[in-house]
Amino acid sequence: MARRPRVLLPNIPVHVVQRGNNKQACFFQAKDYAVYLKKLKESAEKFNVRIHCYVLMTNHVHLLLQASDYEGISHVMQSLGRYYVRYFNTTYNRTGTLWEGRFKSSLVNSDEYLLQVYQYIELNPVRAKMVNHPKDYTWSSYHANGGNKNIAMLEPHPLYLSLGVDSASRKLAYNRLLDNSLSNEILNKIRLSINKSRVLGDDKFVKQISAKLERFAGYLEHGGDRRSEEFKEWLQRI
């Protein structure tokens, strides 16, 4: 079966997930995380991609990125992935693949879901019961978005900047958001969108993106593989 084309557009945030093959660990020591982040920064600068937030878990990564063109995010992930696999295999005297196929991605409706995706990403270690608060997890952008650390690779999204008139007020407001757990409905929407590599947004947003791409960009809640029919079915609903 042919692969679905990615749903990627310029200047719209994208939630990206890449997992270790067979859920194997991708990071074993502090140097591994540091090498990954250094190459992420270099690749993002090279391909003009903004990094809004991230978390590096033991066996997968979550990134919130925004590119200035159609190919930027794919170029970043390809460059980063290949480099890190070479580093990892050399360091641990291994061969073969590290990642579980292609990275997954979900275009995010900023007005509706962006800050919730920020929360989803930076609260990952808390949901995994690794820490009680994101401040206790080292490999996360929380330390810049909600803490007092400067992380040079990050470029805050305008919606995050709108949380306050200055850095202190923004961080306070953001921490208040993190104190309120995401509902199961929101968690499921984010997970379903990323697992299917589809748009995270309401019908209006999906319609706008589908029109730009000239193909259906959302997902339908039905069983079976009906991709050839999904666009026609969706059109009947709007």
Side-chain angles (χ1 to χ4, degrees), residues 11 41-51 65-69 71-73 75-76 155:
N11 302 313
K41 180 177 183 294
E42 292 174 355
S43 298
E45 289 174 349
K46 178 178 180 180
F47 297 109
N48 199 20
V49 170
R50 284 156 279 180
I51 306 168
L65 308 175
Q66 187 168 322
S68 60
D69 59 36
E71 302 295 333
I73 289 173
H75 288 323
V76 166
E155 183 174 335

mmCIF file of all heavy atoms in Angstrom, residues 11 41-51 65-69 71-73 75-76 155:
data_model
loop_
_atom_site.group_PDB
_atom_site.id
_atom_site.type_symbol
_atom_site.label_atom_id
_atom_site.label_comp_id
_atom_site.label_asym_id
_atom_site.label_seq_id
_atom_site.Cartn_x
_atom_site.Cartn_y
_atom_site.Cartn_z
ATOM 1 N N ASN A 11 4.431 27.650 7.798
ATOM 2 C CA ASN A 11 3.959 28.608 8.798
ATOM 3 C C ASN A 11 2.760 28.137 9.615
ATOM 4 O O ASN A 11 1.989 28.952 10.125
ATOM 5 C CB ASN A 11 3.635 29.950 8.123
ATOM 6 C CG ASN A 11 4.837 30.521 7.395
ATOM 7 O OD1 ASN A 11 5.942 30.562 7.930
ATOM 8 N ND2 ASN A 11 4.642 30.910 6.142
ATOM 9 N N LYS A 41 19.207 21.611 16.833
ATOM 10 C CA LYS A 41 19.399 23.059 16.685
ATOM 11 C C LYS A 41 20.070 23.394 15.358
ATOM 12 O O LYS A 41 19.620 24.290 14.630
ATOM 13 C CB LYS A 41 20.248 23.590 17.845
ATOM 14 C CG LYS A 41 20.532 25.088 17.808
ATOM 15 C CD LYS A 41 21.317 25.505 19.035
ATOM 16 C CE LYS A 41 21.560 27.019 19.062
ATOM 17 N NZ LYS A 41 22.446 27.442 17.967
ATOM 18 N N GLU A 42 21.126 22.671 15.023
ATOM 19 C CA GLU A 42 21.845 22.925 13.777
ATOM 20 C C GLU A 42 20.957 22.682 12.559
ATOM 21 O O GLU A 42 20.946 23.478 11.607
ATOM 22 C CB GLU A 42 23.081 22.029 13.702
ATOM 23 C CG GLU A 42 24.158 22.377 14.716
ATOM 24 C CD GLU A 42 25.301 21.376 14.705
ATOM 25 O OE1 GLU A 42 25.205 20.356 13.976
ATOM 26 O OE2 GLU A 42 26.287 21.598 15.436
ATOM 27 N N SER A 43 20.213 21.602 12.584
ATOM 28 C CA SER A 43 19.355 21.260 11.444
ATOM 29 C C SER A 43 18.225 22.271 11.289
ATOM 30 O O SER A 43 17.871 22.663 10.166
ATOM 31 C CB SER A 43 18.786 19.850 11.612
ATOM 32 O OG SER A 43 19.816 18.887 11.655
ATOM 33 N N ALA A 44 17.641 22.694 12.409
ATOM 34 C CA ALA A 44 16.555 23.670 12.358
ATOM 35 C C ALA A 44 17.046 24.998 11.790
ATOM 36 O O ALA A 44 16.357 25.642 10.985
ATOM 37 C CB ALA A 44 15.959 23.864 13.752
ATOM 38 N N GLU A 45 18.229 25.410 12.187
ATOM 39 C CA GLU A 45 18.797 26.650 11.653
ATOM 40 C C GLU A 45 19.072 26.522 10.159
ATOM 41 O O GLU A 45 18.794 27.445 9.381
ATOM 42 C CB GLU A 45 20.079 26.994 12.404
ATOM 43 C CG GLU A 45 19.841 27.451 13.835
ATOM 44 C CD GLU A 45 21.132 27.643 14.605
ATOM 45 O OE1 GLU A 45 22.214 27.215 14.105
ATOM 46 O OE2 GLU A 45 21.085 28.211 15.717
ATOM 47 N N LYS A 46 19.610 25.383 9.752
ATOM 48 C CA LYS A 46 19.956 25.170 8.344
ATOM 49 C C LYS A 46 18.723 25.221 7.451
ATOM 50 O O LYS A 46 18.762 25.803 6.349
ATOM 51 C CB LYS A 46 20.665 23.827 8.182
ATOM 52 C CG LYS A 46 21.032 23.496 6.742
ATOM 53 C CD LYS A 46 21.771 22.162 6.660
ATOM 54 C CE LYS A 46 22.132 21.832 5.211
ATOM 55 N NZ LYS A 46 22.867 20.529 5.124
ATOM 56 N N PHE A 47 17.623 24.635 7.915
ATOM 57 C CA PHE A 47 16.423 24.525 7.076
ATOM 58 C C PHE A 47 15.330 25.516 7.467
ATOM 59 O O PHE A 47 14.175 25.382 7.052
ATOM 60 C CB PHE A 47 15.901 23.085 7.112
ATOM 61 C CG PHE A 47 16.867 22.091 6.531
ATOM 62 C CD1 PHE A 47 17.539 21.189 7.354
ATOM 63 C CD2 PHE A 47 17.129 22.071 5.174
ATOM 64 C CE1 PHE A 47 18.440 20.275 6.823
ATOM 65 C CE2 PHE A 47 18.027 21.164 4.630
ATOM 66 C CZ PHE A 47 18.688 20.270 5.457
ATOM 67 N N ASN A 48 15.683 26.518 8.259
ATOM 68 C CA ASN A 48 14.766 27.602 8.609
ATOM 69 C C ASN A 48 13.480 27.082 9.255
ATOM 70 O O ASN A 48 12.365 27.421 8.841
ATOM 71 C CB ASN A 48 14.443 28.443 7.369
ATOM 72 C CG ASN A 48 13.890 29.811 7.733
ATOM 73 O OD1 ASN A 48 14.076 30.299 8.850
ATOM 74 N ND2 ASN A 48 13.197 30.435 6.795
ATOM 75 N N VAL A 49 13.661 26.267 10.273
ATOM 76 C CA VAL A 49 12.538 25.698 11.033
ATOM 77 C C VAL A 49 12.598 26.217 12.466
ATOM 78 O O VAL A 49 13.656 26.196 13.091
ATOM 79 C CB VAL A 49 12.587 24.157 11.019
ATOM 80 C CG1 VAL A 49 11.581 23.560 12.002
ATOM 81 C CG2 VAL A 49 12.312 23.645 9.608
ATOM 82 N N ARG A 50 11.467 26.682 12.963
ATOM 83 C CA ARG A 50 11.391 27.177 14.342
ATOM 84 C C ARG A 50 11.031 26.036 15.283
ATOM 85 O O ARG A 50 10.172 25.207 14.975
ATOM 86 C CB ARG A 50 10.351 28.290 14.437
ATOM 87 C CG ARG A 50 10.805 29.630 13.877
ATOM 88 C CD ARG A 50 9.635 30.488 13.455
ATOM 89 N NE ARG A 50 9.162 30.096 12.138
ATOM 90 C CZ ARG A 50 8.148 30.677 11.513
ATOM 91 N NH1 ARG A 50 7.491 31.659 12.091
ATOM 92 N NH2 ARG A 50 7.776 30.273 10.320
ATOM 93 N N ILE A 51 11.672 26.019 16.431
ATOM 94 C CA ILE A 51 11.393 25.023 17.467
ATOM 95 C C ILE A 51 10.645 25.728 18.596
ATOM 96 O O ILE A 51 11.183 26.628 19.240
ATOM 97 C CB ILE A 51 12.696 24.402 18.007
ATOM 98 C CG1 ILE A 51 13.539 23.830 16.875
ATOM 99 C CG2 ILE A 51 12.380 23.329 19.057
ATOM 100 C CD1 ILE A 51 14.950 23.453 17.290
ATOM 101 N N LEU A 65 7.227 22.045 15.932
ATOM 102 C CA LEU A 65 8.048 22.753 14.959
ATOM 103 C C LEU A 65 7.179 23.585 14.020
ATOM 104 O O LEU A 65 5.985 23.322 13.866
ATOM 105 C CB LEU A 65 8.859 21.757 14.128
ATOM 106 C CG LEU A 65 9.695 20.726 14.880
ATOM 107 C CD1 LEU A 65 10.328 19.747 13.905
ATOM 108 C CD2 LEU A 65 10.755 21.403 15.742
ATOM 109 N N GLN A 66 7.815 24.559 13.378
ATOM 110 C CA GLN A 66 7.119 25.346 12.367
ATOM 111 C C GLN A 66 8.119 25.740 11.287
ATOM 112 O O GLN A 66 9.156 26.341 11.579
ATOM 113 C CB GLN A 66 6.494 26.592 12.991
ATOM 114 C CG GLN A 66 5.601 27.372 12.047
ATOM 115 C CD GLN A 66 4.766 28.416 12.765
ATOM 116 O OE1 GLN A 66 4.292 28.183 13.865
ATOM 117 N NE2 GLN A 66 4.594 29.572 12.161
ATOM 118 N N ALA A 67 7.804 25.398 10.047
ATOM 119 C CA ALA A 67 8.721 25.630 8.935
ATOM 120 C C ALA A 67 8.243 26.791 8.078
ATOM 121 O O ALA A 67 7.058 27.137 8.069
ATOM 122 C CB ALA A 67 8.839 24.370 8.087
ATOM 123 N N SER A 68 9.158 27.353 7.309
ATOM 124 C CA SER A 68 8.817 28.444 6.403
ATOM 125 C C SER A 68 8.478 27.936 5.007
ATOM 126 O O SER A 68 8.061 28.713 4.151
ATOM 127 C CB SER A 68 9.973 29.447 6.321
ATOM 128 O OG SER A 68 11.138 28.803 5.841
ATOM 129 N N ASP A 69 8.658 26.627 4.772
ATOM 130 C CA ASP A 69 8.311 26.059 3.468
ATOM 131 C C ASP A 69 7.775 24.639 3.659
ATOM 132 O O ASP A 69 7.660 24.147 4.773
ATOM 133 C CB ASP A 69 9.512 26.069 2.519
ATOM 134 C CG ASP A 69 10.709 25.292 3.063
ATOM 135 O OD1 ASP A 69 10.512 24.248 3.720
ATOM 136 O OD2 ASP A 69 11.856 25.735 2.845
ATOM 137 N N GLU A 71 9.042 21.711 2.809
ATOM 138 C CA GLU A 71 9.986 20.621 3.010
ATOM 139 C C GLU A 71 10.844 20.751 4.259
ATOM 140 O O GLU A 71 11.563 19.817 4.606
ATOM 141 C CB GLU A 71 10.907 20.500 1.784
ATOM 142 C CG GLU A 71 10.181 20.260 0.470
ATOM 143 C CD GLU A 71 9.464 18.924 0.454
ATOM 144 O OE1 GLU A 71 9.908 18.002 1.162
ATOM 145 O OE2 GLU A 71 8.452 18.801 -0.261
ATOM 146 N N GLY A 72 10.790 21.887 4.926
ATOM 147 C CA GLY A 72 11.717 22.150 6.020
ATOM 148 C C GLY A 72 11.714 21.103 7.114
ATOM 149 O O GLY A 72 12.776 20.628 7.539
ATOM 150 N N ILE A 73 10.539 20.729 7.595
ATOM 151 C CA ILE A 73 10.461 19.775 8.705
ATOM 152 C C ILE A 73 10.959 18.399 8.272
ATOM 153 O O ILE A 73 11.688 17.735 9.022
ATOM 154 C CB ILE A 73 9.029 19.719 9.267
ATOM 155 C CG1 ILE A 73 8.729 21.030 10.010
ATOM 156 C CG2 ILE A 73 8.841 18.507 10.201
ATOM 157 C CD1 ILE A 73 7.307 21.186 10.482
ATOM 158 N N HIS A 75 13.184 17.809 5.994
ATOM 159 C CA HIS A 75 14.639 17.908 5.895
ATOM 160 C C HIS A 75 15.292 17.861 7.276
ATOM 161 O O HIS A 75 16.335 17.210 7.459
ATOM 162 C CB HIS A 75 15.031 19.197 5.174
ATOM 163 C CG HIS A 75 14.759 19.202 3.714
ATOM 164 N ND1 HIS A 75 14.923 18.080 2.924
ATOM 165 C CD2 HIS A 75 14.336 20.194 2.883
ATOM 166 C CE1 HIS A 75 14.619 18.370 1.671
ATOM 167 N NE2 HIS A 75 14.251 19.644 1.618
ATOM 168 N N VAL A 76 14.707 18.548 8.235
ATOM 169 C CA VAL A 76 15.255 18.545 9.601
ATOM 170 C C VAL A 76 15.263 17.130 10.165
ATOM 171 O O VAL A 76 16.278 16.657 10.701
ATOM 172 C CB VAL A 76 14.452 19.478 10.523
ATOM 173 C CG1 VAL A 76 14.790 19.207 12.001
ATOM 174 C CG2 VAL A 76 14.746 20.931 10.198
ATOM 175 N N GLU A 155 12.144 29.217 19.818
ATOM 176 C CA GLU A 155 11.514 30.464 19.370
ATOM 177 C C GLU A 155 10.041 30.401 19.788
ATOM 178 O O GLU A 155 9.268 29.661 19.186
ATOM 179 C CB GLU A 155 11.635 30.639 17.865
ATOM 180 C CG GLU A 155 11.059 31.957 17.372
ATOM 181 C CD GLU A 155 11.314 32.203 15.898
ATOM 182 O OE1 GLU A 155 12.293 31.648 15.372
ATOM 183 O OE2 GLU A 155 10.525 32.946 15.285
#
